[in-house]
Amino acid sequence: MNYQWYPGHMMKAKRMMQEDIRLIDLVIEIIDARVPLSSRNPDIDELGKNKARLIVLNKADLADERQNDAWAAFFQEKGYFTAKVNARSGAGMKKIQETIQEACKEKIERDRRRGIMNRPVRAMVVGIPNAGKSTFINTLAGKACAKTGNKPGVTKGKQWIRLNKSIELLDTPGILWPKFEDQMVGLRLAVVGSIKDELLQAEELALWLLGYTRSHYPGLLQARYQIPEEGSELELLGGIANARGCKLKGDLPDYPKAAVLFIDDFRSGRLGRLTLERPEEESN
């Protein structure tokens, strides 16, 4: 299956970001900690060049903690400031304002030397759909400033949000890029829910996720569903169907229903804390 989704409002959002970037001191990029590389839009590196950068690994509570640390180190080596948070619960959010000030330390010192005092840091918040950008903004602001939803494509326009006298945020719509050169990127984004489910085939996603889980987290499927981990991915899906009562007439396994159930278990964290890509594998 070819994983693509680039609605017209995303093209408009990219043009807006190109116009607004000159007003910005810092680009805060929200990524999904379960797919840290796949959930980064390469356009944002081009848009944000010569700006201070902060990468926020959101949904860190759903991702493998060892991999969270590995990815944070990976990005820090490339010169980015990083933070690991769960924007929905607020975990890790208390340090964000401090990190913003640290990331913009040079800009603040430069202003001071010029006699410009108390000018707020202006940060553009960017990220692909459903990475949790609006939830991050609302939690940071302590109020509902940005519209949220558990599906991609909720934020359609831009808005300025004043956190305090020191920091102003510019919220922008989530943007994907027009063509995924690597279809694995599209598949991973589909698994975590960054592409609309109506465009997808749940069974294909579930079979890939089953193979990855068995390979990288051996024993997890057996513990969760009480099924053996031998055999093909389709047999594993059949085992989940039987274990969870997903049956058709004639006692046949209902593969589509089991696939949706399995993907939902992953997205909700019921399957455990999983990260679907690793720095050492991606570097290779």
Side-chain angles (χ1 to χ4, degrees):
M1 183 175 179
N2 189 36
Y3 299 95
Q4 295 295 330
W5 183 51
Y6 198 72
H9 79 267
M10 292 190 187
M11 184 67 76
K12 182 181 177 183
K14 183 179 175 182
R15 286 198 299 268
M16 278 195 308
M17 289 169 66
Q18 288 170 328
E19 293 168 5
D20 293 330
I21 196 71
R22 58 189 173 80
L23 307 172
I24 299 302
D25 305 305
L26 170 70
V27 176
I28 302 175
E29 184 178 1
I30 312 300
I31 65 174
D32 189 318
R34 297 168 296 178
V35 285
L37 213 56
S38 292
S39 59
R40 295 199 67 220
N41 184 337
D43 287 345
I44 291 170
D45 273 341
E46 179 62 26
L47 286 167
K49 64 183 179 183
N50 304 321
K51 301 291 180 179
R53 300 292 299 277
L54 168 59
I55 290 183
V56 176
L57 290 101
N58 191 29
K59 306 184 184 182
D61 59 309
L62 297 175
D64 184 333
E65 185 59 25
R66 287 175 298 178
Q67 297 305 318
N68 287 342
D69 291 339
W71 279 110
F74 175 87
F75 291 125
Q76 286 162 11
E77 285 176 11
K78 295 184 178 296
Y80 300 100
F81 287 83
T82 64
K84 299 176 290 181
V85 308
N86 173 4
R88 191 168 297 280
S89 73
M93 293 293 292
K94 288 183 179 179
K95 294 182 178 179
I96 292 295
Q97 293 199 36
E98 181 182 324
T99 305
I100 290 173
Q101 296 291 332
E102 180 65 24
C104 294
K105 192 174 181 179
E106 288 184 17
K107 174 262 175 194
I108 295 168
E109 288 296 327
R110 193 164 58 246
D111 281 353
R112 188 171 290 134
R113 288 195 298 270
R114 293 173 179 171
I116 302 170
M117 307 298 287
N118 302 322
R119 188 172 80 83
V121 168
R122 286 187 154 188
M124 178 185 283
V125 185
V126 300
I128 67 166
N130 210 32
K133 186 166 52 62
S134 296
T135 302
F136 170 85
I137 289 172
N138 291 341
T139 302
L140 192 59
K143 57 185 177 180
C145 303
K147 188 177 179 182
T148 64
N150 190 27
K151 60 181 181 179
V154 173
T155 305
K156 295 293 197 297
K158 67 177 182 180
Q159 60 174 324
W160 282 101
I161 297 153
R162 190 175 178 87
L163 289 186
N164 51 46
K165 65 179 182 179
S166 301
I167 301 171
E168 292 179 353
L169 300 180
L170 177 60
D171 185 19
T172 59
I175 56 171
L176 290 169
W177 47 108
K179 184 173 178 62
F180 302 133
E181 294 180 5
D182 180 356
Q183 282 296 299
M184 281 304 301
V185 169
L187 191 149
R188 290 177 186 133
L189 291 178
V191 169
V192 300
S194 287
I195 298 175
K196 285 187 175 179
D197 284 340
E198 304 94 89
L199 306 175
L200 307 173
Q201 295 178 359
E203 286 173 83
E204 183 178 352
L205 300 182
L207 291 175
W208 177 83
L209 183 57
L210 282 164
Y212 187 93
T213 303
R214 175 170 60 181
S215 171
H216 291 79
Y217 298 94
L220 192 153
L221 296 172
Q222 185 172 5
R224 171 69 183 165
Y225 301 108
Q226 291 78 55
I227 59 171
E229 295 193 352
E230 295 78 28
S232 68
E233 284 82 7
L234 188 62
E235 288 172 317
L236 288 174
L237 188 59
I240 291 173
N242 291 328
R244 289 295 187 263
C246 302
K247 298 291 184 67
L248 299 170
K249 288 183 179 179
D251 208 34
L252 296 172
D254 187 339
Y255 291 109
K257 187 175 180 180
V260 170
L261 181 150
F262 176 59
I263 292 169
D264 188 57
D265 277 354
F266 163 74
R267 289 179 180 173
S268 66
R270 288 189 295 269
L271 190 59
R273 297 180 63 172
L274 279 69
T275 300
L276 304 185
E277 49 193 4
R278 301 185 174 193
E280 66 274 15
E281 293 174 358
E282 301 311 313
S283 297
N284 293 335

